[in-house]
């Protein structure tokens, strides 16, 4: 079973078909990759993400929590560029990555995994004529979209448990359990996919 972070609701985002959410994410990613549109697009998308979290019923607190949960992604993105790129480009690229992570989180929070799969299958169905298994691609894409928030949720749970025990032992005291949980979930998912012939 694919773990889901879906939160039921009746907002405009919950009612929006999954296929439109996915197309928005894809088109946004493409637009983000265009160098001439970097700053103006960031200037529009960054506040739009915050507004979407609030208007969809998740609240500004959840928006900030998602940013905090993505802190390791932000740190890695900065470190991968800071010594090789001018700081304005480093900032722009980091904000672009963060905005895409937030958009993916919005989709994950407002859309059940089953609807995500259906939307992706609908979009990828033409590939079947070329002998490409659209159902496998859709499943992998859905899993990928859920991966970051799921790992972040696991990290939060493990660190809270570690803090409840006194927080002794340093980073390894919670990093090892997190790795074990992640590997266990990956193994269960692989077994389920094998059982279904995917």
């Amino acid at each position: 079973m694919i773990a889901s972070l879906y939160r039921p609701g009746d907002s405009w985002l919950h009612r929006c078909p999954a296929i439109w959410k996915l197309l928005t994410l894809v088109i946004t990613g493409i637009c983000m990759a265009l160098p001439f549109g970097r700053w103006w697009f960031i200037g529009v998308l960054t506040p739009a993400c915050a507004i979407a979290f609030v208007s969809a019923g998740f609240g500004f607190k959840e928006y900030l929590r998602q940013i905090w949960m993505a802190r390791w992604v932000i740190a890695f993105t900065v470190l991968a560029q800071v010594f090789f790129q001018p700081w304005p480009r480093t900032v722009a690229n980091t904000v672009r990555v963060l905005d895409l992570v937030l958009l993916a989180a919005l989709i994950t929070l407002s859309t059940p995994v089953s609807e995500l799969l259906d939307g992706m299958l609908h979009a990828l169905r033409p590939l079947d004529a070329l002998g490409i298994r659209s159902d496998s691609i859709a499943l992998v894409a859905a899993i990928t979209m859920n991966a970051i928030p799921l790992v972040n949720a696991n990290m939060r749970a493990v660190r809270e448990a570690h803090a409840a025990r006194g927080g002794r032992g340093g980073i390894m005291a919670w990093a090892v359990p997190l790795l074990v949980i992640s590997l266990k979930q990956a193994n269960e998912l692989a077994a389920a996919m094998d059982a279904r012939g995917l």
Side-chain angles (χ1 to χ4, degrees):
M1 177 180 179
I2 304 174
S4 175
L5 300 179
Y6 170 66
R7 297 185 186 178
D10 191 39
S11 70
W12 63 271
L13 189 59
H14 287 84
R15 295 192 301 270
C16 182
I19 183 66
W20 292 112
K21 298 178 191 178
L22 294 170
L23 285 175
T24 299
L25 182 63
V26 171
I27 293 172
T28 300
I30 293 173
C31 291
M32 282 290 200
L34 300 176
F36 60 82
R38 180 180 297 123
W39 286 110
W40 75 264
F41 203 77
I42 288 174
V44 171
L45 184 61
T46 301
C49 285
I51 294 171
F53 268 91
V54 175
S55 62
F58 301 122
F60 192 70
K61 184 177 180 180
E62 179 64 25
Y63 171 75
L64 295 177
R65 192 176 76 86
Q66 291 293 333
I67 293 177
W68 175 249
M69 289 173 64
R71 63 191 181 280
W72 300 114
V73 175
I74 297 171
F76 177 80
T77 305
V78 170
L79 290 174
Q81 303 176 83
V82 69
F83 300 111
F84 309 101
Q85 301 278 5
W87 72 264
R89 183 171 296 179
T90 298
V91 172
N93 290 338
T94 302
V95 175
R96 286 194 294 178
V97 170
L98 177 60
D99 284 341
L100 289 175
V101 169
L102 291 172
L103 280 179
L106 273 172
I107 295 174
T108 302
L109 290 168
S110 64
T111 316
V113 174
S114 58
E115 290 186 15
L116 281 177
L117 285 172
D118 289 341
M120 291 179 190
L121 280 171
H122 182 73
L124 298 172
R125 190 63 69 189
L127 296 177
D128 289 340
L130 302 176
I132 300 174
R133 296 188 59 182
S134 58
D135 54 347
S136 297
I137 297 175
L139 181 60
V140 171
I143 293 170
T144 302
M145 287 189 62
N146 279 272
I148 293 177
L150 180 58
V151 171
N152 281 330
N154 288 339
M155 180 184 295
R156 187 175 68 254
V158 169
R159 294 196 68 175
E160 286 174 356
H162 177 237
R165 292 192 298 269
R168 293 183 295 274
I171 188 171
M172 295 302 293
W174 61 265
V176 172
L178 175 62
L179 179 61
V180 171
I181 291 173
S182 299
L183 291 175
K184 182 175 181 293
Q185 290 176 337
N187 186 58
E188 291 174 349
L189 179 59
M193 293 175 68
D194 285 340
R196 290 167 174 78
L198 298 174

